[in-house]
């Protein structure tokens, strides 16, 4: 009986996993068509940093460096200091590493980040450009966004309504990819950069908000209006505003209402799905019991025919 119990538990877990992995929602496309699909969030998730554990880790890295004299441990120690917001100490360490072993990608990239965080975009731009030369594929090829942000900061421009990434999706309520951008790649690059930046930059920050607006325009064309609206809301959270975004919010909210007639259908479908899996589980358990009863009955017949055995 032990093995069948394990099989039954495994089967139940597989069913549960399958149900959880396939949670879909009704979403609206720009065309007005309502689809049933796996939803995409329009706001990136951020990493929660446990400062106590990170401090413990940084102390271990420092000890390992002192024990081995390995610059890799020292570099990782400095990286942990960045997350702990000890920027000046981290900068000093990376400058020391640069002197001992110049032209390391990690040193250039992290110095660029540090200089930006301490308010020196000019030096940040120099180091980020150097890091890209050392590793053109860094950050999945998305560092061009970092360059655009630094150039905007250096320009001292106050025009936050204009796309910092220099993207143009028209001035209409419905965004149009008239410049034939690779929207999937753009979405991937922006998502990656926002996730990195959100670990250090919290609301309000109009630059992040501006980029969220671009992400919303892209998601409206590649995913659905609900995802776009989530990006627009994130843009607002970061302090970004523009008449164009408000115009698109009105248009998208109107489109999003097209899913309302499907809410009752969704509830019914969910009930059917839940009952289906419950029924399937009951049938499976009944089948297992039937097999065991059949085996038990067969064994009794064998014992009667062969009493000596």
């Amino acid at each position: 009986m032990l093995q069948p119990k394990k099989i039954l538990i495994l089967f139940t877990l597989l069913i549960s996993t399958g149900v959880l992995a396939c949670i879909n929602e009704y979403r609206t496309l720009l065309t007005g068509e309502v689809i049933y699909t796996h939803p995409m969030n329009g706001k990136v998730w951020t990493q929660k940093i446990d400062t106590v554990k990170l401090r413990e880790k940084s102390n271990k890295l420092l000890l390992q460096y002192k024990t081995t004299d390995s610059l890799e441990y020292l570099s990782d120690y400095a990286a942990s200091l960045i997350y702990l917001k000890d920027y000046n100490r981290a900068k000093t360490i990376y400058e020391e590493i640069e002197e001992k072993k110049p032209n390391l990608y990690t040193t250039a990239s992290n110095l660029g980040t540090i200089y930006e965080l301490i308010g020196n975009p000019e030096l940040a731009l120099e180091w980020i450009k150097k890091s890209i030369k050392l590793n053109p594929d860094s950050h999945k090829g998305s560092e061009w966004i970092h360059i655009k942000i630094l150039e905007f900061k250096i320009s001292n421009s106050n025009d936050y309504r204009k796309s910092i990434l220099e993207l143009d999706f028209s001035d209409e309520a419905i965004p149009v990819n008239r410049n034939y951008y690779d929207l999937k790649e753009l979405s991937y690059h922006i998502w990656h950069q926002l996730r990195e930046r959100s670990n250090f930059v919290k609301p309000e920050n109009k630059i992040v908000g501006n980029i969220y607006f671009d992400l919303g325009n892209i998601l409206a064309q590649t995913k659905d209006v609900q995802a776009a609206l989530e990006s627009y809301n994130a843009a607002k959270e970061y302090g970004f505003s523009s008449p164009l975004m408000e115009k698109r919010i009105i248009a998208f909210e109107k489109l999003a209402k097209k899913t309302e007639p499907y809410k009752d259908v969704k509830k019914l479908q969910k009930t059917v799905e839940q009952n289906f899996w419950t029924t399937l589980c009951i049938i499976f358990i009944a089948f297992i019991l039937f097999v065991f009863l059949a085996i038990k009955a067969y064994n009794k017949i064998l014992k009667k025919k062969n009493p000596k055995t």
Side-chain angles (χ1 to χ4, degrees):
M1 292 291 291
L2 182 60
Q3 291 302 321
K5 283 184 179 179
K6 288 183 177 179
I7 293 171
L8 178 59
I9 292 171
L10 178 61
F11 181 81
T12 305
L13 286 173
L14 287 172
I15 290 175
S16 300
T17 304
V19 172
L20 292 174
C22 298
I23 297 176
N24 293 333
E25 292 182 5
Y26 285 102
R27 295 275 177 134
T28 315
L29 303 180
L30 280 180
T31 59
E33 178 187 358
V34 176
I35 61 171
Y36 191 59
T37 183
H38 183 72
M40 177 178 178
N41 198 333
K43 184 178 180 181
V44 303
W45 54 268
T46 55
Q47 177 184 357
K48 291 185 178 179
I49 298 173
D50 188 329
T51 54
V52 174
K53 288 185 178 179
L54 186 57
R55 179 67 67 182
E56 292 174 355
K57 180 183 177 182
S58 68
N59 291 334
K60 289 180 182 178
L61 288 167
L62 181 59
L63 180 61
Q64 288 172 313
Y65 164 66
K66 291 179 178 179
T67 304
T68 64
D69 202 34
S70 168
L71 290 180
E72 284 77 11
Y73 284 127
L74 184 60
S75 179
D76 287 347
Y77 168 65
S80 66
L81 292 179
I82 298 174
Y83 285 103
L84 290 168
K85 299 183 179 181
D86 193 350
Y87 304 135
N88 289 323
R89 175 62 180 151
K91 180 172 74 70
T92 300
I93 291 172
Y94 278 120
E95 288 171 344
E96 292 174 1
I97 294 174
E98 179 67 14
E99 288 182 7
K100 293 178 181 179
K101 194 173 182 179
N103 298 322
L104 292 175
Y105 160 74
T106 302
T107 302
S109 177
N110 288 348
L111 273 174
T113 298
I114 292 169
Y115 275 116
E116 183 183 3
L117 289 170
I118 64 176
N120 192 331
E122 290 83 2
L123 278 178
L125 183 59
E126 289 181 21
W127 282 105
I128 293 299
K129 284 184 175 180
K130 181 176 180 177
S131 73
I132 294 174
K133 287 182 179 178
L134 293 170
N135 182 8
D137 297 325
S138 61
H139 293 274
K140 313 296 184 182
S142 67
E143 277 292 76
W144 66 271
I145 293 177
H146 200 167
I147 295 290
K148 291 290 186 184
I149 292 171
L150 291 171
E151 288 175 344
F152 178 81
K153 287 185 174 183
I154 293 170
S155 72
N156 291 319
S157 173
N158 292 319
D159 186 7
Y160 289 97
R161 293 181 178 180
K162 184 178 178 181
S163 172
I164 291 171
L165 303 184
E166 298 181 355
L167 301 176
D168 181 9
F169 296 107
S170 84
D171 294 325
E172 303 303 320
I174 302 299
V176 180
N177 185 19
R178 58 190 181 186
N179 293 312
Y180 304 101
Y181 303 120
D182 185 338
L183 296 181
K184 289 186 178 180
E185 183 178 66
L186 267 177
S187 176
Y188 179 75
H189 285 177
I190 292 174
W191 190 272
H192 181 84
Q193 286 288 321
L194 281 175
R195 189 171 61 188
E196 293 288 328
R197 186 163 291 271
S198 297
N199 287 321
F200 301 103
V201 181
K202 305 302 179 184
E204 291 185 353
N205 185 283
K206 291 182 180 180
I207 290 176
V208 173
N210 181 287
I211 296 171
Y212 259 120
F213 178 50
D214 275 333
L215 178 62
N217 296 328
I218 293 167
L219 292 179
Q221 298 172 81
T222 59
K223 295 298 179 180
D224 48 69
V225 298
Q226 283 85 352
L229 286 169
E230 287 169 357
S231 289
Y232 293 163
N233 286 332
K236 283 187 172 183
E237 180 184 346
Y238 273 89
F240 176 82
S241 63
S242 78
L244 179 57
M245 185 172 74
E246 292 303 322
K247 182 163 63 173
R248 288 181 177 166
I249 287 174
I250 292 171
F252 291 1
E253 285 180 343
K254 185 177 180 180
L255 287 170
K257 287 181 179 179
K258 291 194 173 187
T259 63
E260 290 182 359
Y262 294 84
K263 288 181 180 179
D264 292 336
V265 176
K266 184 178 178 181
K267 290 179 182 178
L268 177 61
Q269 185 175 7
K270 186 176 180 181
T271 302
V272 171
E273 287 176 352
Q274 289 174 340
N275 290 337
F276 170 76
W277 289 110
T278 301
T279 304
L280 189 60
C281 286
I282 292 171
I283 292 172
F284 178 78
I285 294 170
F287 174 74
I288 293 296
L289 290 174
F290 172 78
V291 170
F292 278 108
L293 289 173
I295 292 173
K296 189 174 181 180
Y298 180 72
N299 287 335
K300 284 183 178 180
I301 293 170
L302 287 178
K303 285 182 180 179
K304 288 181 179 180
K305 290 184 177 180
N306 304 289
K308 294 183 178 180
T309 59

